[in-house]
């Protein structure tokens, strides 16, 4: 799928989690619901950091482009080192390492650990990164023709405001883990990455999200729906069917989560 659809699916997924936790008796404070939705929307773009032309690779100027080139080489190296007997050798790493559930969990755990060990400044950096990505993904029609600096300023302002709100008693910095504020921050990051892989699995190329499990002699098996159910990224199905569905389902889940909180 393309970036906007990935972001909308990430936002919908966290709103769905918000509704589920309300039903389970552990409702999210509204600030966690909002912040997590934006983080998840941004994180749903992150797996494409292995592609130089992806939204995330362009979002932060030269540093993100350099990082994308590094991730591409790392992904290709891991792919070739772990490929199964039926996996062909590759020179590029797109849709390999960063499109696995192992990567999703490692990245989410890493961000949670950073928030715990380095405190507020780590939280602000994590929020800034994902707020910028959320703007790029959810407000793509306005973000793309705008100056990168304006998008960064909006991301920084959103990060500061949200962190200040979350830090107020009862607003959610310690949601779910009372003794470890912001430990939950990795959850929407993990979910966003996983939702990205699921989105790619319903396109023609599929997605090797189950690596390193071997499927049909391939550790990088492009898992996905049956062939007749797949579509090309950016197609009419994505733009006219899936994106409106994501918005409607997300809105219903968000309203339900707030009502039950």
């Amino acid at each position: 799928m393309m970036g906007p659809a990935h972001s909308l699916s990430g936002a919908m997924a966290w709103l769905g989690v918000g509704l589920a936790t309300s039903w389970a008796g552990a409702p999210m404070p509204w600030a966690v619901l909002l912040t997590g939705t934006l983080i998840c929307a941004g994180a749903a773009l992150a797996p494409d950091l292995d592609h130089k032309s992806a939204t995330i690779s362009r979002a932060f100027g030269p540093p993100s482009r350099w990082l994308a080139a590094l991730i591409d080489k790392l992904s290709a190296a891991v792919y070739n080192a772990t490929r199964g007997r039926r996996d062909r050798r590759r020179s590029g790493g797109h849709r390999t390492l960063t499109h696995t559930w192992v990567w999703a969990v490692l990245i989410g755990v890493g961000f949670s650990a950073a928030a715990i060990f380095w405190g507020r400044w780590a939280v602000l950096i994590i929020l800034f990164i994902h707020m910028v990505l959320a703007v790029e993904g959810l407000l793509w029609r306005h973000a793309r023709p705008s100056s990168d600096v304006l998008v960064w300023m909006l991301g920084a302002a959103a990060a500061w405001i949200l962190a200040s709100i979350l830090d107020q008693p009862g607003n959610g910095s310690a949601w779910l883990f009372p003794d470890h504020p912001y430990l939950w921050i990795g959850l929407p990051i993990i979910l966003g990455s996983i939702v990205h892989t699921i989105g790619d699995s319903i396109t023609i190329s599929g997605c090797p999200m189950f690596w390193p499990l071997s499927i049909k002699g391939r550790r990088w098996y492009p898992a996905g729906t049956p062939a007749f159910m797949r579509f090309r990224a950016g197609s009419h199905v994505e733009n006219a069917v899936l994106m409106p569905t994501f918005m409607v389902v997300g809105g219903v889940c968000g309203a339900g989560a707030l009502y039950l909180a």
Side-chain angles (χ1 to χ4, degrees), residues 124 128 131-132 150-164:
L124 287 172
F128 168 71
M131 293 307 107
V132 169
L150 291 177
V151 175
W152 298 341
M153 290 174 63
L154 180 58
W160 187 271
I161 292 169
L162 289 172
S164 299

Side-chain angles (χ1 to χ4, degrees), residues 83-133:
R83 63 193 176 97
R85 57 185 173 81
R86 298 187 62 189
D87 289 313
R88 296 180 179 179
R89 191 171 186 84
R90 292 181 55 164
S91 58
H94 181 49
R95 281 204 183 185
T96 56
L97 181 61
T98 61
H99 286 69
T100 67
W101 291 0
V102 170
W103 176 271
V105 172
L106 289 176
I107 291 298
V109 169
F111 275 121
S112 282
I116 294 298
F117 289 114
W118 291 303
R120 182 175 176 79
W121 284 108
V123 170
L124 287 172
I125 291 171
I126 294 168
L127 289 176
F128 168 71
I129 292 170
H130 290 91
M131 293 307 107
V132 169
L133 294 178

Side-chain angles (χ1 to χ4, degrees), residues 21 49 93 164 174 217 232 238 257 259:
T21 58
L49 188 58
S164 299
R232 293 187 180 279
E238 180 178 327
Y259 177 76

